[in-house]
Amino acid sequence: DLGPEAVSCVAQGQPCVLRNLNAFPAAVSRWSFEYLAQQLKGSAFSMFTSNDGNYSYWYGKPNSASFAFAQPTRHETGSFHDFLDRRSALTPLDACRSLYLQDVLWRNHVGRGEPLRREIMGDDLQHDWDCGLAWALLANVRQIGRLGPMTTSSLFCSGAGAYSRPHYDQNANLYLQVRGAKRWLIFPPEDSAMLYPYPKGHPLDRKSRIDFSAPDLSAFPAAAG
């Protein structure tokens, strides 16, 4: 169950870290790269490649306003085994920085009777979802936060050092860390102007133009805070 401090944060729409939530114990105990390679079928999982470990997820959105634009990452598809094979063929540093897998496993979509993508899953992975996910707990979080129904659950796989360009999502997120660690840098909505998002119509809209590792304060003076 959620403690009173967590309930307060969720109810007020504040970001929070819920430790030991036990929301998906089957995933926490079983979901290694090797296990997923055994259980995930198909050859059309989305993978992104980057030369420097910085990922701006660009799926080919058109440059409708003809902005100066260089493609930041390359979107490819392959099997989960392809993902592991390509990682193993790289040096340890490149394996951490050059390849990122991101794809949807569950989608509550109009016209799709079964949200879970069972067609790409082995029996054990389907059992994890059916019996190892605390659906009642997730429903409680959604109710407290007035978040509405769950629409999508995605799988993200990378090595250490992967970096996602600062951006904002259009839906509330509940993120479960199964392996490793992830560092979040979160800004309140009122600071959005300081982050200089790309303009509407740009292929990278909803993402910040600032390089947080070396911000150009002459070009983006408000970023100095």
Side-chain angles (χ1 to χ4, degrees):
D1 292 337
L2 299 179
E5 185 178 2
V7 168
S8 176
C9 287
V10 173
Q12 296 178 60
Q14 297 177 346
C16 58
V17 177
L18 306 175
R19 299 185 185 277
N20 302 315
L21 187 59
N22 209 31
F24 202 168
V28 173
S29 63
R30 291 153 61 99
W31 285 22
S32 65
F33 278 177
E34 292 71 24
Y35 176 78
L36 292 174
Q38 294 171 2
Q39 292 294 317
L40 286 172
K41 303 177 290 185
S43 58
F45 292 96
S46 287
M47 295 184 286
F48 296 86
T49 58
S50 167
N51 294 328
D52 58 5
N54 293 335
Y55 291 88
S56 296
Y57 303 110
W58 178 70
Y59 287 88
K61 183 176 182 178
N63 189 3
S64 58
S66 300
F67 290 98
F69 173 67
Q71 183 175 328
T73 53
R74 295 171 297 282
H75 178 216
E76 306 173 18
T77 58
S79 68
F80 202 91
H81 275 291
D82 292 336
F83 170 68
L84 292 190
D85 289 345
R86 290 180 59 180
R87 280 177 49 85
S88 64
L90 299 170
T91 66
L93 180 59
D94 287 339
C96 292
R97 297 185 178 276
S98 299
L99 198 60
Y100 200 114
L101 184 144
Q102 173 185 344
D103 215 318
V104 173
L105 299 183
W106 190 99
R107 174 179 283 138
N108 190 9
H109 191 272
V110 174
R112 183 177 176 88
E114 167 62 82
L116 186 63
R117 296 180 64 194
R118 296 184 185 275
E119 67 276 8
I120 65 167
M121 299 182 183
D123 292 342
D124 288 345
L125 190 57
Q126 293 184 53
H127 184 268
D128 292 343
W129 279 89
D130 292 336
C131 302
L133 180 59
W135 290 102
L137 177 60
L138 295 182
N140 188 31
V141 171
R142 295 201 326 269
Q143 181 180 15
I144 293 170
R146 299 181 298 278
L147 300 178
M150 189 168 79
T151 59
T152 305
S153 181
S154 296
L155 174 70
F156 301 85
C157 297
S158 76
Y163 173 81
S164 178
R165 181 187 289 270
H167 61 279
Y168 68 87
D169 289 336
Q170 295 171 305
N171 299 301
N173 280 248
L174 180 61
Y175 191 97
L176 173 64
Q177 189 75 29
V178 175
R179 292 284 187 277
K182 183 180 179 75
R183 179 174 180 262
W184 295 79
L185 185 61
I186 300 175
F187 296 87
E190 55 267 26
D191 286 350
S192 59
M194 300 167 55
L195 302 176
Y196 294 90
Y198 284 96
K200 185 177 180 180
H202 193 282
L204 298 179
D205 61 4
R206 296 195 295 110
K207 299 175 177 63
S208 173
R209 289 180 283 170
I210 300 173
D211 178 356
F212 276 38
S213 63
D216 182 354
L217 298 182
S218 62
F220 308 113

